[in-house]
Amino acid sequence: MVMAETSAAGRPEAVPARLGVQPCGACEARRFSFCSAVRDEDLGRLAQAADRYTAKPGARIVGAEEPANFVFNVGDGAVRVSRPLADGRRPVVGFLLRGDFLGFGAGETYGFQADALTPVTVCRFERGAFRALMDAFPPMERRLLCMASDEIREGQEQMALLGRKTAPERLATFLLKLSARQARLGGAEDLAVLPMSRSDVADYLGLTAETVSRVLTSFKVAGLIRLERASRIRLLRPAALADLAAGGS
Amino acid sequence: MVMAETSAAGRPEAVPARLGVQPCGACEARRFSFCSAVRDEDLGRLAQAADRYTAKPGARIVGAEEPANFVFNVGDGAVRVSRPLADGRRPVVGFLLRGDFLGFGAGETYGFQADALTPVTVCRFERGAFRALMDAFPPMERRLLCMASDEIREGQEQMALLGRKTAPERLATFLLKLSARQARLGGAEDLAVLPMSRSDVADYLGLTAETVSRVLTSFKVAGLIRLERASRIRLLRPAALADLAAGGS
DNA sequence: CGTAAGTTTGAAACTAATCAACTGTTGTGG
DNA sequence: CCACAACAGTTGATTAGTTTCAAACTTACG
């Protein structure tokens, strides 16, 4: 039922819609989310604590300086998470897709900013209510702990990439991981769909947009990929990409 | 967190000592560890599940390929955590000190390796037993979730550093964070004691040992630091270092 | 269509890496 | 206790990978 929108600048102006009669049961993200740890009969309680709304592409979901009063579950769409530096550099620390949780790593304020890259549907939970849910549903807390551990591993792998991999290794790793994630969500095995710009990819991989573009061109020339569109990359030789990426991690 | 199965690969040569009469109560690391969330009267149960032992400098605490059967709490000393790449590059993803938890980010196998930089005392818990403890003591699980969230934040900040900061910014950030951690553990406010080599620092910051050395020299020349020993760095102008580091994060 | 944003390509510049030598430190045994 | 070995750290010269600056090209869309 009707989502409030986020204005470009801030929090949703319109009050997010309270989840109604048919809440979480039919949610397409559930099997990928922390909520999969909550039993069907408890979903009502979950839904009651959640506001669900959709953010337009480019909309800010959380700002780095905002007090971290909410956590989110991404129902659909793609989100860019970044940690702006003082002088405007804006390193990207992750991209979120369906089922991903947004809220780990926050302090008093979020410290990071999260922006919608596509139309993004999120379930928003007030922190205190969320803690209460975890108290009520231990499997949910356990699930979140597992998800946090996974996120730590992802972070470590990304640190290894940023610290020690070459530009081609970074791109190969990125394409493989993105396509694998999308395959898990139901996409084709050998396809990577990039909801973000070359600059976003560059900010994520510690490169420039120009370098990203050059490396992709070199992959194309080498027959490793085909650019069906700038945002749609077919992996023609995943094994070769994996060798490249495997500098390690 | 929460890792996988399977049984032993070679842990320490000497059999870890079962914790005896005077277990966790007097532990100098307790106030910094997840165990601070366990009530005194429950400490016995914790101690029963733990093996405590000391690893010599250079000793491997966990190997990347080992099945992740254990988690650890660092009681004392310094640990280097790295994620070796296929060709020998060995990016360092973190350093652990007193009170730090080792085990987040593991999969079936650890995926990372952890090596003692100094004599290191750890409490080791078998995974299954550790899960049981979390079931028994919800505050402990909550505490671990908070620690995991903090580790995610640290990881994000490190990604920002590796992706977008210059060499001097990286070193300034590193020195400030290390000295802050050590101050929290009881050290002097303006001192950073480096239990690791220049190469380790380089592998952590995505640089080379030579660059680390050069930048430290430039800091010294600029009057920002004094090298009391190679491993003992006095921060003479922390505010100036903070400005440098603050490129952001 | 026309415009603006995003992307690709090219040339020059620069940061940090590499290769190499030297110096300082630590630990050991004569 | 000193000599020496082995290793860690520093300094120097050169190189290389990526960035920066600049311009052309594509694509999406009003």
Side-chain angles (χ1 to χ4, degrees), chain A residues 183-243:
Chain A
R184 249 175 278 128
L185 294 175
E189 280 291 343
D190 62 342
L191 184 67
V193 179
L194 282 59
M196 72 296 282
S197 71
R198 296 287 188 265
S199 285
D200 291 333
V201 175
D203 283 331
Y204 182 57
L205 299 181
L207 302 169
T208 60
E210 292 93 328
T211 299
V212 170
S213 183
R214 279 184 245 273
V215 171
L216 289 179
T217 299
S218 78
F219 282 0
K220 192 175 54 178
V221 170
L224 300 179
I225 62 171
R226 181 174 60 230
L227 281 111
E228 301 184 350
R229 292 208 310 279
S231 64
R232 225 184 126 78
I233 299 180
R234 183 72 59 178
L235 311 190
L236 300 177
R237 297 172 53 198
L241 287 170
D243 284 348

Side-chain angles (χ1 to χ4, degrees), chain A residues 53-140:
Chain A
Y53 66 91
T54 297
K56 293 201 184 75
R60 172 92 9 114
I61 296 169
V62 309
E65 311 301 336
E66 295 174 16
N69 295 330
F70 302 100
V71 300
F72 303 81
N73 198 41
V74 177
D76 202 12
V79 177
R80 178 189 61 216
V81 182
S82 54
R83 284 197 167 254
L85 302 190
D87 63 355
R89 285 171 286 180
R90 197 214 46 191
V92 169
V93 299
F95 297 105
L96 307 183
L97 302 177
R98 171 179 299 170
D100 288 333
F101 180 78
L102 172 62
F104 293 135
E108 281 284 306
T109 64
Y110 287 105
F112 50 79
Q113 73 186 35
D115 301 289
L117 293 167
T118 63
V120 169
T121 302
V122 295
C123 293
R124 190 183 76 169
F125 300 83
E126 197 276 322
R127 258 173 164 303
F130 197 74
R131 265 193 291 263
L133 288 170
M134 288 194 294
D135 289 334
F137 307 126
M140 174 179 140

Side-chain angles (χ1 to χ4, degrees), chain B residues 16 23 44 53 62 69 80 98 114 117 125 130 137 143 168 171 203 205 236 239:
Chain B
Y53 65 92
V62 310
N69 295 331
R80 178 189 62 216
R98 173 180 298 171
L117 293 167
F125 300 83
F130 197 74
F137 308 126
R143 181 80 208 285
L171 261 298
D203 284 331
L205 298 180
L236 300 177

Side-chain angles (χ1 to χ4, degrees), chain B residues 184-234:
Chain B
R184 247 176 280 127
L185 295 175
E189 280 291 343
D190 63 341
L191 183 67
V193 178
L194 283 62
M196 73 296 280
S197 71
R198 296 289 187 265
S199 285
D200 290 333
V201 175
D203 284 331
Y204 182 56
L205 298 180
L207 301 170
T208 58
E210 292 92 328
T211 298
V212 169
S213 184
R214 277 185 246 274
V215 172
L216 289 178
T217 299
S218 78
F219 283 0
K220 192 174 54 176
V221 169
L224 300 179
I225 63 171
R226 183 175 60 229
L227 282 107
E228 302 186 348
R229 294 210 309 281
S231 64
R232 221 183 131 79
I233 299 181
R234 184 73 57 176

Side-chain angles (χ1 to χ4, degrees), chain B:
Chain B
M1 66 164 322
V2 174
M3 322 63 204
E5 36 18 76
T6 344
S7 65
R11 212 61 337 303
E13 308 65 27
V15 178
R18 195 58 61 174
L19 275 172
V21 263
Q22 199 246 355
C24 301
C27 178
E28 68 293 335
R30 178 152 182 244
R31 49 180 291 237
F32 306 110
S33 307
F34 73 85
C35 10
S36 64
V38 177
R39 291 172 309 179
D40 285 0
E41 54 266 42
D42 292 326
L43 280 181
R45 175 110 176 257
L46 202 70
Q48 273 213 321
D51 291 324
R52 188 178 177 92
Y53 65 92
T54 297
K56 294 201 185 76
R60 171 97 3 120
I61 296 168
V62 310
E65 310 303 337
E66 295 174 16
N69 295 331
F70 301 100
V71 300
F72 302 81
N73 198 41
V74 177
D76 200 14
V79 177
R80 178 189 62 216
V81 182
S82 53
R83 284 198 168 257
L85 303 189
D87 63 355
R89 285 171 287 182
R90 196 216 44 190
V92 168
V93 298
F95 297 105
L96 308 182
L97 302 177
R98 173 180 298 171
D100 288 333
F101 181 79
L102 172 62
F104 293 136
E108 283 282 307
T109 62
Y110 286 105
F112 50 79
Q113 74 187 33
D115 301 289
L117 293 167
T118 64
V120 169
T121 302
V122 294
C123 292
R124 190 184 77 170
F125 300 83
E126 196 275 321
R127 257 159 94 79
F130 197 74
R131 267 194 290 262
L133 288 171
M134 289 194 295
D135 290 334
F137 308 126
M140 173 177 141
E141 181 161 23
R142 181 62 52 88
R143 181 80 208 285
L144 282 160
L145 188 54
C146 291
M147 290 176 74
S149 181
D150 286 344
E151 190 161 334
I152 287 168
R153 181 181 40 69
E154 294 287 346
Q156 290 180 350
E157 289 175 6
Q158 188 68 1
M159 288 183 233
L161 176 149
L162 292 167
R164 283 293 175 247
K165 288 190 185 179
T166 66
E169 289 167 353
R170 293 180 200 199
L171 261 298
T173 305
F174 175 72
L175 292 176
L176 287 169
K177 287 199 177 186
L178 179 59
S179 71
R181 280 174 82 184
Q182 291 175 336
R184 247 176 280 127
L185 295 175
E189 280 291 343
D190 63 341
L191 183 67
V193 178
L194 283 62
M196 73 296 280
S197 71
R198 296 289 187 265
S199 285
D200 290 333
V201 175
D203 284 331
Y204 182 56
L205 298 180
L207 301 170
T208 58
E210 292 92 328
T211 298
V212 169
S213 184
R214 277 185 246 274
V215 172
L216 289 178
T217 299
S218 78
F219 283 0
K220 192 174 54 176
V221 169
L224 300 179
I225 63 171
R226 183 175 60 229
L227 282 107
E228 302 186 348
R229 294 210 309 281
S231 64
R232 221 183 131 79
I233 299 181
R234 184 73 57 176
L235 310 190
L236 300 177
R237 297 173 53 199
L241 286 170
D243 284 348
L244 235 185
S249 166

